[in-house]
Amino acid sequence: METPAGTRCLLTATIFLLGLVSPGFVYGQDPAAGAPPTPSSERPRVGLALSGGGALGLTEIGVIKWMEENHIPVDRIAGTSMGSIIGSMYATGMTPAEIQKFAEKIDWDQAFLPEPGYTELSYRRKQDRRDFLVAAPLGLKHGLRGPNGLNSGQSAGLLLDRIAFADAGITNFDDLPIPFRCVATDMQSGEAIVLREGFLADAVRASMAIPGVFTPVELNGRILADGGMVQNIPVETVRDMGADAVIAVELHYPPGDIGQLGTLVGVLSRAIDVMITQNEHHSLALAKTKVRVDMKGFAITDYKRVNELVQLGYKAAASQSAELLRYAITDPAEWQRYLDERNARERIPMTKVEKVVVAGADPDTGRRIQQEVTKSVQGSLDLPHLETRLTRIAGEGQFDRLGYEGFTQNGVPALRVTAHEKTYGPPFIDLAVNVQGSGVAAFDFSAGTRITFMDLFHRGGEWRSDLLFGSSNLAATEYYQPLGQSRFFVAPYVFASKWARNSFNGLTRIAVFGDERAGGGLDIGFNTGRHSEFRLGYELFEGKLAPLIGAAGLPIDHGSTGEFRARFVWDGQDSPSVPSRGSRVVATATRVLQSPGLAHPIGQVDVQSSNFVRLGDKTSLFIDVSGGTTFHGSAGPFQVFSLGGPFRLGAYLPDEFLGNHYAYASLGFRRELYRLPQLIGRKIYWGGWYESGSAFGTQLNNRGPVVVRGTFNLGVIADTIVGPIALAGSVSPTGQSRVNFSVGRLF
């Protein structure tokens, strides 16, 4: 299952380091020993060798479909990478139609995500992704290091687990309906490793684990990765299985474009193509028959073009029918016997589980996983529901992958969940780089990190510390402790922060103030797991608001602030940076008992909502509505509401409008413009939106005039590995205009 073009260049360094490929190695007993039954007639054993090639490998479904329709048997089958996935499905008894249907239902974007999708993350991991958007997972478990692959393979691994589920009790791949092999590369020795026994899903995952992209698979003490580096079309393997005639499927790429060689990535990608082509030529020379599929017009990223690719493979096989039909079984009775013998070796998947066993986790965590999984498999076994549950457990952040397999324990149908802990943490490190500006007059840069210790004392506690330096500065730490096995928690915290705030006289900026705060608090709350959190607590801090830039003699506010606060957050969006659907609501109610500038306690409520509605595959509509009030009191300098800045009236500077109350709304759309290479990010969008809002009421006149201002906006947003990069032009109906930009955070 290769990833998009461009990632293939990551194989280059690996291949150079491997040097000359060593002879193949076969796990298990000698291939000749215990071989599967020979065909019932004198016809030759027919073997099928399926090639790797990313999405292009889906054409092999069409080749198999044509062969079955024309009664060409497959007595042995082997595959590499995508070919191993297609081959394993056919070997376990799935028909070509079932394989195609399976492929069409896969959400390929989801399958290639480096971690569970944002909607499947726990609420605290969503906070991490929203606050620290740099996509560079790091940990301190064995010193500062990251994962040994960009993608742990959680989603892809679950697909393979489902394919292999019915045959989980098989330890020798010769016992499948069609004897099967897949090829991987030993990353230490450079050997071609032929996998013939063990857990089928693990073997296939090893065969498709592109170095540097998917994390390698450890099997029997060997570190295994994608087999395309050593044997992309495994003709040799099929011959060693005892096949008399091998049919090889060759995915033929057009010759490299000379323009491709004008860049470093192009040269490296072409070098990979040349190396793989050489091992393919060696394999193809050993095949009796070749089905050559011309892949012109298709890319290895075209996973969503399943039907077209299947038809392409079908037509390629039909065009070479003269060579293929010599292996056909012409006697209908003999063909039926072949099918009956093959079908008789199929296994029926279990439909009910009476016991759940967890491997790979410490006892306390294992018991928790066991309890959660047991609830999800009660009654009839629903594999998609089970996979969702496992993905959500992985979304808590401690494990990079959770897989499953069925087995029988003392005659009882059981399910084994295998947890793979992240090798580089905890503690984990998240990074952020935040750049925001509205021209030279307003430019902010900050960078920081979050360090998270997890499952402290095996009680599910987390210790999370943040550091941020630059235009905005923050040092904060929080200890989060769930109460028993419930979702209630306590969370004491301390913090110190400083950031710049603009001060205006009318529409003229006269100063920049430094807002300094240092204090702490204690929250108690309830966490629903994924979407929401409610907190109730008390916070006390020392604050100071003093001019950094501006005329002398401006007032300085300082003193203690104490407040009770209740906050509810609902996060149902599908992305922390550029959502396409879902809603996010933050509602805060505060009772400020004391603060500089307050004559008496005040109450405040602030509600902010962001809502996205998908209108199609590429377009979404968004509606943002927010508002806050100080009721009948007057807010102090640390509680005043503000408007101005991107997505807060973009034609004006931040904090340009202050008041005891505010209201804001925006309506717009965003549309996909371009898909970025996977190693750079996801997509580029363009969009337009209109904003309207007002901040009103002051300490001198709480009712004050209500002046509603508006802004038209047009911009471009790129969802990258360092977070969103945005550029937007904004203009108001009264003529104010500004160009806003941001890196690392959506304004």
Side-chain angles (χ1 to χ4, degrees), residues 165-310:
F165 186 70
D167 299 282
I170 290 179
T171 58
N172 189 321
F173 301 162
D174 282 341
D175 295 332
L176 294 170
I178 302 174
F180 172 73
R181 303 283 188 275
C182 59
V183 179
T185 301
D186 187 316
M187 295 301 293
Q188 292 176 294
S189 68
E191 290 179 305
I193 304 300
V194 179
L195 299 168
R196 55 162 292 140
E197 64 179 13
F199 182 37
L200 179 61
D202 284 344
V204 174
R205 187 180 177 278
S207 180
M208 49 143 292
I210 296 176
V213 179
F214 287 103
T215 54
V217 176
E218 183 176 353
L219 288 178
N220 301 328
R222 291 176 179 258
I223 306 300
L224 304 180
D226 194 288
M229 294 181 286
V230 290
Q231 202 180 116
N232 199 46
I233 307 177
V235 177
E236 302 96 312
T237 297
V238 179
R239 287 182 53 168
D240 290 342
M241 295 172 71
D244 300 310
V246 180
I247 300 172
V249 180
E250 177 192 8
L251 307 178
H252 180 67
Y253 303 88
D257 184 351
I258 192 170
Q260 178 187 17
L261 304 179
T263 65
L264 175 61
V265 172
V267 171
L268 293 177
S269 296
R270 186 56 188 155
I272 292 294
D273 293 338
V274 171
M275 293 177 185
I276 292 179
T277 299
Q278 293 307 308
N279 81 54
E280 288 184 341
H281 285 169
H282 173 74
S283 298
L284 290 170
L286 302 175
K288 285 288 184 70
T289 301
K290 296 180 283 291
V291 177
R292 187 177 188 181
V293 187
D294 185 357
M295 304 309 310
K296 184 177 181 180
F298 290 88
I300 62 173
T301 59
D302 287 334
Y303 290 97
K304 296 183 179 181
R305 300 173 67 181
V306 176
N307 186 61
E308 294 176 71
L309 288 164
V310 170

Side-chain angles (χ1 to χ4, degrees), residues 104-147:
E104 289 173 339
K105 287 185 176 181
I106 295 174
D107 184 341
W108 293 101
D109 289 336
Q110 184 76 20
F112 288 127
L113 287 177
E115 66 176 5
Y118 187 73
T119 58
E120 304 302 329
L121 295 179
S122 68
Y123 178 78
R124 288 184 66 80
R125 300 293 76 78
K126 286 183 177 181
Q127 284 183 310
D128 294 339
R129 302 300 173 268
R130 187 170 288 275
D131 296 339
F132 292 80
L133 285 165
V134 176
L138 298 170
L140 295 171
K141 191 172 187 177
H142 303 292
L144 181 62
R145 58 184 293 187

Side-chain angles (χ1 to χ4, degrees), residues 39 107 150 166 184 223 287 289 322 398 453 469 482 502 528 589 595 703 726 747:
D107 184 341
L150 298 177
I223 306 300
T289 301
Q398 188 173 350
F453 292 81
F469 300 100
N502 294 317
T528 63
S595 187
R703 295 186 177 181
F747 301 120

Side-chain angles (χ1 to χ4, degrees), residues 693-718:
S694 177
F696 53 96
T698 66
Q699 288 181 312
L700 298 178
N701 183 1
N702 190 31
R703 295 186 177 181
V706 178
V707 179
V708 178
R709 294 174 171 86
T711 299
F712 295 94
N713 306 269
L714 188 66
V716 178
I717 303 169

Side-chain angles (χ1 to χ4, degrees), residues 478-497:
E478 177 195 70
Y479 180 71
Y480 173 95
Q481 180 60 61
L483 300 178
Q485 298 297 316
S486 73
R487 296 195 179 276
F488 289 96
F489 65 87
V490 294
Y493 61 92
V494 295
F495 67 93
S497 65

Side-chain angles (χ1 to χ4, degrees), residues 20 22 24 42 60 79 94 110 146 180 223 248 305-306 308 311 322 334 342 382 384 396 421 481 542 610 631 696 743:
L20 295 176
S22 302
E42 294 299 321
E60 294 165 332
M94 294 177 68
Q110 184 76 20
F180 172 73
I223 306 300
R305 300 173 67 181
V306 176
E308 294 176 71
Q311 290 300 316
E334 184 180 350
R342 191 178 73 183
D382 184 339
E396 296 172 6
E421 287 191 341
Q481 180 60 61
E542 286 290 321
S610 172
F631 296 104
F696 53 96
V743 177

Side-chain angles (χ1 to χ4, degrees), residues 386-444:
L386 169 64
E387 292 165 7
T388 298
R389 172 57 56 186
L390 294 177
T391 298
R392 290 175 180 173
I393 296 174
E396 296 172 6
Q398 188 173 350
F399 301 98
D400 62 7
R401 189 165 62 88
L402 286 97
Y404 66 92
E405 61 178 315
F407 70 104
T408 302
Q409 188 177 65
N410 300 324
V412 174
L415 183 77
R416 179 182 294 108
V417 174
T418 303
H420 300 264
E421 287 191 341
K422 293 180 177 178
T423 58
Y424 56 97
F428 297 108
I429 297 178
D430 294 294
L431 302 175
V433 175
N434 301 328
V435 179
Q436 298 183 8
S438 298
V440 178
F443 180 84
D444 295 324

